[in-house]
PDB file of all heavy atoms in Angstrom:
ATOM      1  N   GLY A 704     137.286  64.352 128.974  1.00 94.00           N
ATOM      2  CA  GLY A 704     138.140  64.438 130.128  1.00 94.00           C
ATOM      3  C   GLY A 704     137.945  65.509 131.183  1.00 94.00           C
ATOM      4  O   GLY A 704     138.741  65.652 132.109  1.00 94.00           O
ATOM      5  N   LYS A 705     136.723  66.123 131.073  1.00 96.00           N
ATOM      6  CA  LYS A 705     136.326  67.120 132.039  1.00 96.00           C
ATOM      7  C   LYS A 705     135.026  66.816 132.694  1.00 96.00           C
ATOM      8  O   LYS A 705     134.273  65.953 132.127  1.00 96.00           O
ATOM      9  CB  LYS A 705     136.261  68.479 131.355  1.00 96.00           C
ATOM     10  CG  LYS A 705     137.553  68.937 130.859  1.00 96.00           C
ATOM     11  CD  LYS A 705     137.377  70.321 130.243  1.00 96.00           C
ATOM     12  CE  LYS A 705     138.804  70.963 129.896  1.00 96.00           C
ATOM     13  NZ  LYS A 705     138.597  72.393 129.462  1.00 96.00           N
ATOM     14  N   GLN A 706     134.753  67.435 133.770  1.00 96.00           N
ATOM     15  CA  GLN A 706     133.480  67.281 134.501  1.00 96.00           C
ATOM     16  C   GLN A 706     132.381  67.992 133.804  1.00 96.00           C
ATOM     17  O   GLN A 706     132.603  68.866 133.050  1.00 96.00           O
ATOM     18  CB  GLN A 706     133.595  67.701 135.880  1.00 96.00           C
ATOM     19  CG  GLN A 706     134.335  66.829 136.777  1.00 96.00           C
ATOM     20  CD  GLN A 706     134.285  67.054 138.273  1.00 96.00           C
ATOM     21  OE1 GLN A 706     133.905  68.341 138.652  1.00 96.00           O
ATOM     22  NE2 GLN A 706     134.517  66.200 139.138  1.00 96.00           N
ATOM     23  N   ARG A 707     131.181  67.427 133.985  1.00 96.00           N
ATOM     24  CA  ARG A 707     129.999  68.140 133.336  1.00 96.00           C
ATOM     25  C   ARG A 707     129.799  69.414 134.021  1.00 96.00           C
ATOM     26  O   ARG A 707     129.891  69.588 135.295  1.00 96.00           O
ATOM     27  CB  ARG A 707     128.780  67.228 133.491  1.00 96.00           C
ATOM     28  CG  ARG A 707     127.529  67.724 132.835  1.00 96.00           C
ATOM     29  CD  ARG A 707     126.394  66.605 132.940  1.00 96.00           C
ATOM     30  NE  ARG A 707     126.608  65.554 132.150  1.00 96.00           N
ATOM     31  CZ  ARG A 707     126.259  64.347 132.447  1.00 96.00           C
ATOM     32  NH1 ARG A 707     125.620  64.010 133.552  1.00 96.00           N
ATOM     33  NH2 ARG A 707     126.503  63.378 131.521  1.00 96.00           N
ATOM     34  N   GLU A 708     129.476  70.466 133.251  1.00 97.00           N
ATOM     35  CA  GLU A 708     129.367  71.874 133.846  1.00 97.00           C
ATOM     36  C   GLU A 708     128.052  72.436 133.345  1.00 97.00           C
ATOM     37  O   GLU A 708     127.538  72.127 132.335  1.00 97.00           O
ATOM     38  CB  GLU A 708     130.512  72.773 133.373  1.00 97.00           C
ATOM     39  CG  GLU A 708     130.655  73.045 131.952  1.00 97.00           C
ATOM     40  CD  GLU A 708     131.590  74.104 131.588  1.00 97.00           C
ATOM     41  OE1 GLU A 708     131.887  74.958 132.380  1.00 97.00           O
ATOM     42  OE2 GLU A 708     132.127  74.151 130.457  1.00 97.00           O
ATOM     43  N   LEU A 709     127.513  73.295 134.218  1.00 98.00           N
ATOM     44  CA  LEU A 709     126.229  73.884 133.919  1.00 98.00           C
ATOM     45  C   LEU A 709     126.574  75.229 133.097  1.00 98.00           C
ATOM     46  O   LEU A 709     127.431  76.059 133.643  1.00 98.00           O
ATOM     47  CB  LEU A 709     125.470  74.304 135.169  1.00 98.00           C
ATOM     48  CG  LEU A 709     124.069  74.976 135.032  1.00 98.00           C
ATOM     49  CD1 LEU A 709     123.118  74.177 134.298  1.00 98.00           C
ATOM     50  CD2 LEU A 709     123.584  75.262 136.553  1.00 98.00           C
ATOM     51  N   VAL A 710     125.944  75.540 131.991  1.00 98.00           N
ATOM     52  CA  VAL A 710     126.267  76.589 131.182  1.00 98.00           C
ATOM     53  C   VAL A 710     125.167  77.680 131.138  1.00 98.00           C
ATOM     54  O   VAL A 710     125.461  78.853 130.940  1.00 98.00           O
ATOM     55  CB  VAL A 710     126.677  76.228 129.773  1.00 98.00           C
ATOM     56  CG1 VAL A 710     128.018  75.497 129.752  1.00 98.00           C
ATOM     57  CG2 VAL A 710     125.705  75.600 128.963  1.00 98.00           C
ATOM     58  N   ALA A 711     124.022  77.326 131.318  1.00 98.00           N
ATOM     59  CA  ALA A 711     122.869  78.291 131.294  1.00 98.00           C
ATOM     60  C   ALA A 711     121.637  77.693 131.952  1.00 98.00           C
ATOM     61  O   ALA A 711     121.375  76.422 131.941  1.00 98.00           O
ATOM     62  CB  ALA A 711     122.477  78.520 129.749  1.00 98.00           C
ATOM     63  N   THR A 712     120.917  78.554 132.653  1.00 97.00           N
ATOM     64  CA  THR A 712     119.585  78.122 133.249  1.00 97.00           C
ATOM     65  C   THR A 712     118.515  79.170 132.886  1.00 97.00           C
ATOM     66  O   THR A 712     118.692  80.230 132.652  1.00 97.00           O
ATOM     67  CB  THR A 712     119.754  78.079 134.752  1.00 97.00           C
ATOM     68  OG1 THR A 712     120.046  79.384 135.210  1.00 97.00           O
ATOM     69  CG2 THR A 712     120.906  77.077 135.227  1.00 97.00           C
ATOM     70  N   MET A 713     117.310  78.520 133.067  1.00 96.00           N
ATOM     71  CA  MET A 713     115.978  79.394 132.911  1.00 96.00           C
ATOM     72  C   MET A 713     115.074  78.899 133.894  1.00 96.00           C
ATOM     73  O   MET A 713     114.820  77.684 134.162  1.00 96.00           O
ATOM     74  CB  MET A 713     115.537  79.289 131.556  1.00 96.00           C
ATOM     75  CG  MET A 713     114.105  79.974 131.351  1.00 96.00           C
ATOM     76  SD  MET A 713     113.504  79.958 129.672  1.00 96.00           S
ATOM     77  CE  MET A 713     114.385  81.331 129.018  1.00 96.00           C
ATOM     78  N   SER A 714     114.509  79.807 134.761  1.00 94.00           N
ATOM     79  CA  SER A 714     113.533  79.520 135.821  1.00 94.00           C
ATOM     80  C   SER A 714     112.221  79.334 135.120  1.00 94.00           C
ATOM     81  O   SER A 714     112.027  79.749 133.946  1.00 94.00           O
ATOM     82  CB  SER A 714     113.525  80.629 136.828  1.00 94.00           C
ATOM     83  OG  SER A 714     112.978  81.690 136.334  1.00 94.00           O
ATOM     84  N   GLY A 715     111.228  78.900 135.926  1.00 92.00           N
ATOM     85  CA  GLY A 715     109.924  78.845 135.347  1.00 92.00           C
ATOM     86  C   GLY A 715     109.366  80.173 135.018  1.00 92.00           C
ATOM     87  O   GLY A 715     108.494  80.228 134.099  1.00 92.00           O
ATOM     88  N   GLY A 716     109.820  81.181 135.644  1.00 92.00           N
ATOM     89  CA  GLY A 716     109.340  82.519 135.336  1.00 92.00           C
ATOM     90  C   GLY A 716     110.135  83.215 134.327  1.00 92.00           C
ATOM     91  O   GLY A 716     109.795  84.350 133.956  1.00 92.00           O
ATOM     92  N   GLY A 717     111.200  82.502 133.798  1.00 93.00           N
ATOM     93  CA  GLY A 717     111.883  83.034 132.565  1.00 93.00           C
ATOM     94  C   GLY A 717     113.193  83.701 132.980  1.00 93.00           C
ATOM     95  O   GLY A 717     113.776  84.167 132.012  1.00 93.00           O
ATOM     96  N   THR A 718     113.600  83.801 134.151  1.00 96.00           N
ATOM     97  CA  THR A 718     114.756  84.314 134.540  1.00 96.00           C
ATOM     98  C   THR A 718     115.998  83.406 134.035  1.00 96.00           C
ATOM     99  O   THR A 718     115.941  82.206 134.211  1.00 96.00           O
ATOM    100  CB  THR A 718     114.997  84.523 136.094  1.00 96.00           C
ATOM    101  OG1 THR A 718     113.867  85.350 136.454  1.00 96.00           O
ATOM    102  CG2 THR A 718     116.321  85.213 136.344  1.00 96.00           C
ATOM    103  N   THR A 719     117.103  84.094 133.361  1.00 97.00           N
ATOM    104  CA  THR A 719     118.082  83.290 132.796  1.00 97.00           C
ATOM    105  C   THR A 719     119.393  83.639 133.449  1.00 97.00           C
ATOM    106  O   THR A 719     119.605  84.820 133.972  1.00 97.00           O
ATOM    107  CB  THR A 719     118.190  83.594 131.287  1.00 97.00           C
ATOM    108  OG1 THR A 719     118.460  84.969 131.127  1.00 97.00           O
ATOM    109  CG2 THR A 719     116.955  83.259 130.584  1.00 97.00           C
ATOM    110  N   ASN A 720     120.288  82.733 133.496  1.00 98.00           N
ATOM    111  CA  ASN A 720     121.628  82.858 133.972  1.00 98.00           C
ATOM    112  C   ASN A 720     122.658  82.066 133.147  1.00 98.00           C
ATOM    113  O   ASN A 720     122.281  81.159 132.584  1.00 98.00           O
ATOM    114  CB  ASN A 720     121.759  82.422 135.419  1.00 98.00           C
ATOM    115  CG  ASN A 720     121.131  83.488 136.372  1.00 98.00           C
ATOM    116  OD1 ASN A 720     121.752  84.496 136.600  1.00 98.00           O
ATOM    117  ND2 ASN A 720     120.034  83.137 136.909  1.00 98.00           N
ATOM    118  N   TYR A 721     123.873  82.628 133.101  1.00 98.00           N
ATOM    119  CA  TYR A 721     124.843  81.987 132.155  1.00 98.00           C
ATOM    120  C   TYR A 721     126.123  81.900 132.801  1.00 98.00           C
ATOM    121  O   TYR A 721     126.531  82.701 133.743  1.00 98.00           O
ATOM    122  CB  TYR A 721     125.061  82.831 130.899  1.00 98.00           C
ATOM    123  CG  TYR A 721     123.716  82.951 130.043  1.00 98.00           C
ATOM    124  CD1 TYR A 721     122.814  84.026 130.221  1.00 98.00           C
ATOM    125  CD2 TYR A 721     123.383  82.056 129.131  1.00 98.00           C
ATOM    126  CE1 TYR A 721     121.611  84.142 129.599  1.00 98.00           C
ATOM    127  CE2 TYR A 721     122.192  82.102 128.357  1.00 98.00           C
ATOM    128  CZ  TYR A 721     121.461  83.136 128.616  1.00 98.00           C
ATOM    129  OH  TYR A 721     120.236  83.252 127.877  1.00 98.00           O
ATOM    130  N   ALA A 722     126.886  80.864 132.571  1.00 98.00           N
ATOM    131  CA  ALA A 722     128.258  80.786 132.981  1.00 98.00           C
ATOM    132  C   ALA A 722     129.083  81.874 132.317  1.00 98.00           C
ATOM    133  O   ALA A 722     128.754  82.250 131.184  1.00 98.00           O
ATOM    134  CB  ALA A 722     128.827  79.385 132.546  1.00 98.00           C
ATOM    135  N   ASP A 723     130.139  82.318 133.039  1.00 98.00           N
ATOM    136  CA  ASP A 723     130.921  83.351 132.426  1.00 98.00           C
ATOM    137  C   ASP A 723     131.539  82.994 131.054  1.00 98.00           C
ATOM    138  O   ASP A 723     131.690  83.860 130.199  1.00 98.00           O
ATOM    139  CB  ASP A 723     132.014  83.813 133.348  1.00 98.00           C
ATOM    140  CG  ASP A 723     131.584  84.527 134.563  1.00 98.00           C
ATOM    141  OD1 ASP A 723     130.408  84.953 134.564  1.00 98.00           O
ATOM    142  OD2 ASP A 723     132.297  84.553 135.595  1.00 98.00           O
ATOM    143  N   SER A 724     131.828  81.774 130.859  1.00 97.00           N
ATOM    144  CA  SER A 724     132.466  81.342 129.672  1.00 97.00           C
ATOM    145  C   SER A 724     131.594  81.374 128.486  1.00 97.00           C
ATOM    146  O   SER A 724     132.122  81.467 127.290  1.00 97.00           O
ATOM    147  CB  SER A 724     132.917  79.926 129.823  1.00 97.00           C
ATOM    148  OG  SER A 724     131.792  79.033 130.104  1.00 97.00           O
ATOM    149  N   VAL A 725     130.213  81.570 128.611  1.00 98.00           N
ATOM    150  CA  VAL A 725     129.285  81.625 127.508  1.00 98.00           C
ATOM    151  C   VAL A 725     128.494  82.851 127.374  1.00 98.00           C
ATOM    152  O   VAL A 725     127.759  83.069 126.497  1.00 98.00           O
ATOM    153  CB  VAL A 725     128.341  80.277 127.447  1.00 98.00           C
ATOM    154  CG1 VAL A 725     129.252  79.137 127.576  1.00 98.00           C
ATOM    155  CG2 VAL A 725     127.348  80.385 128.601  1.00 98.00           C
ATOM    156  N   LYS A 726     128.540  83.668 128.547  1.00 98.00           N
ATOM    157  CA  LYS A 726     127.782  84.863 128.585  1.00 98.00           C
ATOM    158  C   LYS A 726     128.100  85.804 127.398  1.00 98.00           C
ATOM    159  O   LYS A 726     129.178  85.997 126.997  1.00 98.00           O
ATOM    160  CB  LYS A 726     128.164  85.640 129.926  1.00 98.00           C
ATOM    161  CG  LYS A 726     127.136  86.694 130.337  1.00 98.00           C
ATOM    162  CD  LYS A 726     127.458  87.084 131.749  1.00 98.00           C
ATOM    163  CE  LYS A 726     127.384  85.999 132.807  1.00 98.00           C
ATOM    164  NZ  LYS A 726     127.618  86.491 134.171  1.00 98.00           N
ATOM    165  N   GLY A 727     126.989  86.257 126.772  1.00 98.00           N
ATOM    166  CA  GLY A 727     127.017  87.191 125.623  1.00 98.00           C
ATOM    167  C   GLY A 727     127.094  86.340 124.316  1.00 98.00           C
ATOM    168  O   GLY A 727     126.992  87.025 123.239  1.00 98.00           O
ATOM    169  N   ARG A 728     127.412  85.113 124.393  1.00 98.00           N
ATOM    170  CA  ARG A 728     127.280  84.231 123.211  1.00 98.00           C
ATOM    171  C   ARG A 728     126.221  83.265 123.070  1.00 98.00           C
ATOM    172  O   ARG A 728     125.852  82.913 121.991  1.00 98.00           O
ATOM    173  CB  ARG A 728     128.710  83.485 123.123  1.00 98.00           C
ATOM    174  CG  ARG A 728     129.960  84.385 123.091  1.00 98.00           C
ATOM    175  CD  ARG A 728     131.204  83.555 122.877  1.00 98.00           C
ATOM    176  NE  ARG A 728     131.482  82.541 123.827  1.00 98.00           N
ATOM    177  CZ  ARG A 728     131.548  81.223 123.603  1.00 98.00           C
ATOM    178  NH1 ARG A 728     131.425  80.808 122.462  1.00 98.00           N
ATOM    179  NH2 ARG A 728     131.792  80.399 124.625  1.00 98.00           N
ATOM    180  N   PHE A 729     125.720  82.704 124.152  1.00 98.00           N
ATOM    181  CA  PHE A 729     124.717  81.750 124.215  1.00 98.00           C
ATOM    182  C   PHE A 729     123.455  82.193 124.780  1.00 98.00           C
ATOM    183  O   PHE A 729     123.414  83.199 125.702  1.00 98.00           O
ATOM    184  CB  PHE A 729     125.004  80.544 125.194  1.00 98.00           C
ATOM    185  CG  PHE A 729     126.224  79.672 124.666  1.00 98.00           C
ATOM    186  CD1 PHE A 729     127.053  80.030 123.615  1.00 98.00           C
ATOM    187  CD2 PHE A 729     126.390  78.409 125.312  1.00 98.00           C
ATOM    188  CE1 PHE A 729     127.997  79.160 122.988  1.00 98.00           C
ATOM    189  CE2 PHE A 729     127.385  77.630 124.744  1.00 98.00           C
ATOM    190  CZ  PHE A 729     128.255  78.013 123.787  1.00 98.00           C
ATOM    191  N   THR A 730     122.328  81.793 124.286  1.00 98.00           N
ATOM    192  CA  THR A 730     121.079  82.392 124.749  1.00 98.00           C
ATOM    193  C   THR A 730     120.122  81.167 124.899  1.00 98.00           C
ATOM    194  O   THR A 730     119.882  80.343 124.095  1.00 98.00           O
ATOM    195  CB  THR A 730     120.310  83.257 123.718  1.00 98.00           C
ATOM    196  OG1 THR A 730     121.252  84.321 123.520  1.00 98.00           O
ATOM    197  CG2 THR A 730     119.138  83.802 124.233  1.00 98.00           C
ATOM    198  N   ILE A 731     119.487  81.049 126.228  1.00 98.00           N
ATOM    199  CA  ILE A 731     118.626  80.026 126.557  1.00 98.00           C
ATOM    200  C   ILE A 731     117.200  80.533 126.358  1.00 98.00           C
ATOM    201  O   ILE A 731     116.914  81.760 126.598  1.00 98.00           O
ATOM    202  CB  ILE A 731     118.835  79.384 127.884  1.00 98.00           C
ATOM    203  CG1 ILE A 731     117.995  78.256 128.204  1.00 98.00           C
ATOM    204  CG2 ILE A 731     118.604  80.552 128.947  1.00 98.00           C
ATOM    205  CD1 ILE A 731     118.316  77.589 129.471  1.00 98.00           C
ATOM    206  N   SER A 732     116.249  79.791 125.695  1.00 96.00           N
ATOM    207  CA  SER A 732     114.954  80.087 125.630  1.00 96.00           C
ATOM    208  C   SER A 732     114.060  78.971 125.536  1.00 96.00           C
ATOM    209  O   SER A 732     114.577  77.796 125.616  1.00 96.00           O
ATOM    210  CB  SER A 732     114.781  80.892 124.248  1.00 96.00           C
ATOM    211  OG  SER A 732     115.115  80.036 123.041  1.00 96.00           O
ATOM    212  N   ARG A 733     112.706  79.050 125.552  1.00 94.00           N
ATOM    213  CA  ARG A 733     111.855  77.995 125.424  1.00 94.00           C
ATOM    214  C   ARG A 733     110.558  78.320 124.651  1.00 94.00           C
ATOM    215  O   ARG A 733     110.208  79.491 124.531  1.00 94.00           O
ATOM    216  CB  ARG A 733     111.537  77.523 126.782  1.00 94.00           C
ATOM    217  CG  ARG A 733     110.564  78.429 127.604  1.00 94.00           C
ATOM    218  CD  ARG A 733     110.382  77.972 129.101  1.00 94.00           C
ATOM    219  NE  ARG A 733     109.547  78.906 129.738  1.00 94.00           N
ATOM    220  CZ  ARG A 733     109.552  79.212 131.009  1.00 94.00           C
ATOM    221  NH1 ARG A 733     110.650  78.845 131.763  1.00 94.00           N
ATOM    222  NH2 ARG A 733     108.686  80.125 131.502  1.00 94.00           N
ATOM    223  N   ASP A 734     109.898  77.182 124.158  1.00 92.00           N
ATOM    224  CA  ASP A 734     108.559  77.402 123.758  1.00 92.00           C
ATOM    225  C   ASP A 734     107.684  76.438 124.384  1.00 92.00           C
ATOM    226  O   ASP A 734     107.661  75.265 124.257  1.00 92.00           O
ATOM    227  CB  ASP A 734     108.636  77.074 122.191  1.00 92.00           C
ATOM    228  CG  ASP A 734     107.309  77.239 121.470  1.00 92.00           C
ATOM    229  OD1 ASP A 734     106.269  77.218 122.105  1.00 92.00           O
ATOM    230  OD2 ASP A 734     107.366  77.401 120.220  1.00 92.00           O
ATOM    231  N   ASN A 735     106.835  76.961 125.288  1.00 88.00           N
ATOM    232  CA  ASN A 735     105.980  76.181 126.176  1.00 88.00           C
ATOM    233  C   ASN A 735     104.935  75.381 125.298  1.00 88.00           C
ATOM    234  O   ASN A 735     104.586  74.313 125.724  1.00 88.00           O
ATOM    235  CB  ASN A 735     105.229  76.971 127.181  1.00 88.00           C
ATOM    236  CG  ASN A 735     106.303  77.453 128.362  1.00 88.00           C
ATOM    237  OD1 ASN A 735     107.248  76.874 128.495  1.00 88.00           O
ATOM    238  ND2 ASN A 735     105.884  78.697 128.773  1.00 88.00           N
ATOM    239  N   THR A 736     104.567  75.842 124.171  1.00 89.00           N
ATOM    240  CA  THR A 736     103.591  75.277 123.396  1.00 89.00           C
ATOM    241  C   THR A 736     104.202  73.907 122.702  1.00 89.00           C
ATOM    242  O   THR A 736     103.468  73.045 122.261  1.00 89.00           O
ATOM    243  CB  THR A 736     103.054  76.070 122.187  1.00 89.00           C
ATOM    244  OG1 THR A 736     104.143  76.375 121.256  1.00 89.00           O
ATOM    245  CG2 THR A 736     102.444  77.350 122.864  1.00 89.00           C
ATOM    246  N   LYS A 737     105.567  73.865 122.612  1.00 91.00           N
ATOM    247  CA  LYS A 737     106.163  72.690 122.032  1.00 91.00           C
ATOM    248  C   LYS A 737     106.931  71.831 123.027  1.00 91.00           C
ATOM    249  O   LYS A 737     107.611  70.946 122.769  1.00 91.00           O
ATOM    250  CB  LYS A 737     107.131  73.214 120.920  1.00 91.00           C
ATOM    251  CG  LYS A 737     106.481  73.854 119.792  1.00 91.00           C
ATOM    252  CD  LYS A 737     107.445  74.332 118.727  1.00 91.00           C
ATOM    253  CE  LYS A 737     106.772  75.019 117.602  1.00 91.00           C
ATOM    254  NZ  LYS A 737     107.757  75.348 116.458  1.00 91.00           N
ATOM    255  N   ASN A 738     106.785  72.222 124.357  1.00 92.00           N
ATOM    256  CA  ASN A 738     107.525  71.510 125.411  1.00 92.00           C
ATOM    257  C   ASN A 738     108.970  71.441 125.040  1.00 92.00           C
ATOM    258  O   ASN A 738     109.732  70.383 125.327  1.00 92.00           O
ATOM    259  CB  ASN A 738     106.985  70.088 125.569  1.00 92.00           C
ATOM    260  CG  ASN A 738     105.660  70.110 126.178  1.00 92.00           C
ATOM    261  OD1 ASN A 738     105.171  71.009 126.676  1.00 92.00           O
ATOM    262  ND2 ASN A 738     105.098  68.930 126.304  1.00 92.00           N
ATOM    263  N   THR A 739     109.559  72.506 124.500  1.00 95.00           N
ATOM    264  CA  THR A 739     110.893  72.566 124.088  1.00 95.00           C
ATOM    265  C   THR A 739     111.715  73.695 124.633  1.00 95.00           C
ATOM    266  O   THR A 739     111.131  74.822 124.662  1.00 95.00           O
ATOM    267  CB  THR A 739     110.857  72.450 122.458  1.00 95.00           C
ATOM    268  OG1 THR A 739     110.240  71.390 122.035  1.00 95.00           O
ATOM    269  CG2 THR A 739     112.286  72.476 122.034  1.00 95.00           C
ATOM    270  N   MET A 740     112.883  73.474 124.909  1.00 96.00           N
ATOM    271  CA  MET A 740     113.827  74.514 125.417  1.00 96.00           C
ATOM    272  C   MET A 740     114.985  74.507 124.314  1.00 96.00           C
ATOM    273  O   MET A 740     115.311  73.445 123.739  1.00 96.00           O
ATOM    274  CB  MET A 740     114.362  74.128 126.811  1.00 96.00           C
ATOM    275  CG  MET A 740     115.344  75.126 127.345  1.00 96.00           C
ATOM    276  SD  MET A 740     115.866  74.574 129.097  1.00 96.00           S
ATOM    277  CE  MET A 740     116.752  73.208 128.808  1.00 96.00           C
ATOM    278  N   TYR A 741     115.552  75.656 124.216  1.00 98.00           N
ATOM    279  CA  TYR A 741     116.610  75.877 123.134  1.00 98.00           C
ATOM    280  C   TYR A 741     117.874  76.534 123.719  1.00 98.00           C
ATOM    281  O   TYR A 741     117.756  77.136 124.776  1.00 98.00           O
ATOM    282  CB  TYR A 741     116.052  76.910 122.010  1.00 98.00           C
ATOM    283  CG  TYR A 741     114.839  76.386 121.420  1.00 98.00           C
ATOM    284  CD1 TYR A 741     113.576  76.872 121.796  1.00 98.00           C
ATOM    285  CD2 TYR A 741     114.783  75.356 120.375  1.00 98.00           C
ATOM    286  CE1 TYR A 741     112.384  76.570 121.218  1.00 98.00           C
ATOM    287  CE2 TYR A 741     113.632  75.029 119.782  1.00 98.00           C
ATOM    288  CZ  TYR A 741     112.470  75.565 120.242  1.00 98.00           C
ATOM    289  OH  TYR A 741     111.298  75.183 119.568  1.00 98.00           O
ATOM    290  N   LEU A 742     118.842  76.256 123.117  1.00 98.00           N
ATOM    291  CA  LEU A 742     120.143  77.012 123.377  1.00 98.00           C
ATOM    292  C   LEU A 742     120.835  77.475 122.116  1.00 98.00           C
ATOM    293  O   LEU A 742     121.228  76.621 121.279  1.00 98.00           O
ATOM    294  CB  LEU A 742     121.216  75.982 124.094  1.00 98.00           C
ATOM    295  CG  LEU A 742     122.521  76.733 124.610  1.00 98.00           C
ATOM    296  CD1 LEU A 742     122.204  77.803 125.710  1.00 98.00           C
ATOM    297  CD2 LEU A 742     123.442  75.720 125.118  1.00 98.00           C
ATOM    298  N   ARG A 743     120.673  78.752 121.887  1.00 98.00           N
ATOM    299  CA  ARG A 743     121.330  79.295 120.739  1.00 98.00           C
ATOM    300  C   ARG A 743     122.742  79.722 121.042  1.00 98.00           C
ATOM    301  O   ARG A 743     123.032  80.365 121.975  1.00 98.00           O
ATOM    302  CB  ARG A 743     120.572  80.600 120.309  1.00 98.00           C
ATOM    303  CG  ARG A 743     121.139  81.359 119.120  1.00 98.00           C
ATOM    304  CD  ARG A 743     121.276  80.625 117.955  1.00 98.00           C
ATOM    305  NE  ARG A 743     121.698  81.439 116.804  1.00 98.00           N
ATOM    306  CZ  ARG A 743     121.749  80.981 115.502  1.00 98.00           C
ATOM    307  NH1 ARG A 743     121.388  79.698 115.241  1.00 98.00           N
ATOM    308  NH2 ARG A 743     122.262  81.821 114.574  1.00 98.00           N
ATOM    309  N   MET A 744     123.680  79.184 120.287  1.00 98.00           N
ATOM    310  CA  MET A 744     125.071  79.289 120.503  1.00 98.00           C
ATOM    311  C   MET A 744     125.719  80.106 119.332  1.00 98.00           C
ATOM    312  O   MET A 744     125.716  79.598 118.251  1.00 98.00           O
ATOM    313  CB  MET A 744     125.744  77.975 120.722  1.00 98.00           C
ATOM    314  CG  MET A 744     125.028  77.007 121.710  1.00 98.00           C
ATOM    315  SD  MET A 744     125.954  75.556 122.006  1.00 98.00           S
ATOM    316  CE  MET A 744     125.743  74.733 120.462  1.00 98.00           C
TER     317      MET A 744
END
């Protein structure tokens, strides 16, 4: 029943940003060798 919202971003250089609702609880990361991005909640 809600609109899609952006909760975390990571730039190509590795800069991260988080929505206030998840800041301090969620962590975005990536492994370039595996072409995979993660969200630890």
Side-chain angles (χ1 to χ4, degrees):
K705 294 187 177 181
Q706 289 192 334
R707 188 172 285 152
E708 63 171 335
L709 180 63
V710 297
T712 63
M713 175 175 273
S714 72
T718 301
T719 59
N720 282 287
Y721 300 91
D723 288 344
S724 58
V725 306
K726 198 172 294 183
R728 300 188 298 120
F729 290 12
T730 303
I731 188 172
S732 62
R733 70 184 184 219
D734 185 338
N735 291 328
T736 66
K737 297 181 179 180
N738 290 354
T739 300
M740 180 174 72
Y741 304 96
L742 185 68
R743 174 66 176 179
M744 306 184 295

